[in-house]
């Protein structure tokens, strides 16, 4: 499936699903399309509300779910709860620092190695992109192991 890149294509996709395109939903879709990288439901809500006071959070959350249903977004569980990616940008394994929130990702090679390892060990096919791996980043480790002066 070709990547969907314009607001119009997205709105068409939602219309095919019989969804009424309210001005609110248009504003939410436009804001999502402007977002790069991780799309936090709370951030989208704040940004949409700053342009259109009165849009409630549940409308934003429902729109995100719909966009996932039609294949435009997918979610991953990060340190602060679920966030969304454009589907074509979602294939990465998150490494999230539980201390400072720094967000890193495994290289594709490392993710493949880990997937193969789990499959070989347990006959289990992991979806490593769905949940972040939580831990401590290099910087926070060096802070916590530094001996007091
Ligand atoms: Zn990500
Ligand atoms: Zn999930
Ligand atoms: Zn850290």
């Amino acid at each position: 499936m070709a990547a969907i890149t314009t607001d119009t294509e997205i709105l068409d996709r939602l219309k095919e699903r019989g969804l009424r395109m309210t001005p609110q939903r248009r504003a939410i879709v436009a804001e999502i399309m402007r977002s790069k990288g991780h799309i936090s439901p709370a951030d989208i809500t704040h940004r949409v509300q700053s342009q259109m006071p009165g849009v409630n959070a549940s409308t934003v959350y429902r729109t995100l779910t719909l966009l996932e249903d039609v294949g435009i977004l997918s979610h991953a569980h990060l340190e602060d709860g679920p966030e969304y990616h454009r589907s074509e940008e979602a294939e990465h394994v998150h490494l999230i620092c539980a201390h400072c929130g720094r967000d890193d990702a495994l290289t594709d090679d490392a993710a493949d190695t880990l997937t193969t390892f789990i499959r070989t060990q347990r006959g289990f096919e992991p979806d490593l992109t769905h949940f972040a791996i939580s831990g401590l980043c290099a910087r926070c480790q060096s802070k916590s192991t530094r001996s007091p002066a």
Side-chain angles (χ1 to χ4, degrees), residues 46-131:
H46 286 140
R47 293 212 296 268
V48 173
Q49 283 173 340
S50 72
Q51 305 157 30
M52 261 194 176
V55 174
N56 59 48
S58 65
T59 307
V60 176
Y61 283 64
R62 237 180 296 128
T63 305
L64 287 163
T65 307
L66 285 167
L67 291 171
E68 179 159 31
D69 287 349
V70 297
I72 291 159
L73 299 179
S74 37
H75 74 268
H77 302 268
L78 307 186
E79 196 67 19
D80 295 323
E83 298 208 356
Y84 290 81
H85 296 89
R86 306 291 298 280
S87 291
E88 66 274 17
E89 297 171 356
E91 288 299 312
H92 53 272
V93 181
H94 297 95
L95 304 175
I96 309 268
C97 179
H99 186 68
C100 71
R102 192 182 305 271
D103 179 8
D104 198 0
L106 285 182
T107 62
D108 289 353
D109 279 356
D112 287 348
T113 304
L114 189 52
T115 300
T116 305
F117 180 73
I118 293 169
R119 188 192 297 131
T120 310
Q121 286 283 306
R122 309 301 307 159
F124 182 83
E125 189 61 44
D127 177 3
L128 298 172
T129 65
H130 192 186
F131 284 89

Side-chain angles (χ1 to χ4, degrees), residues 128-146:
L128 298 172
T129 65
H130 192 186
F131 284 89
I133 297 175
S134 180
L136 281 181
C137 71
R139 194 180 290 189
C140 289
Q141 289 171 59
S142 65
K143 270 188 210 145
S144 62
T145 57
R146 193 188 296 149

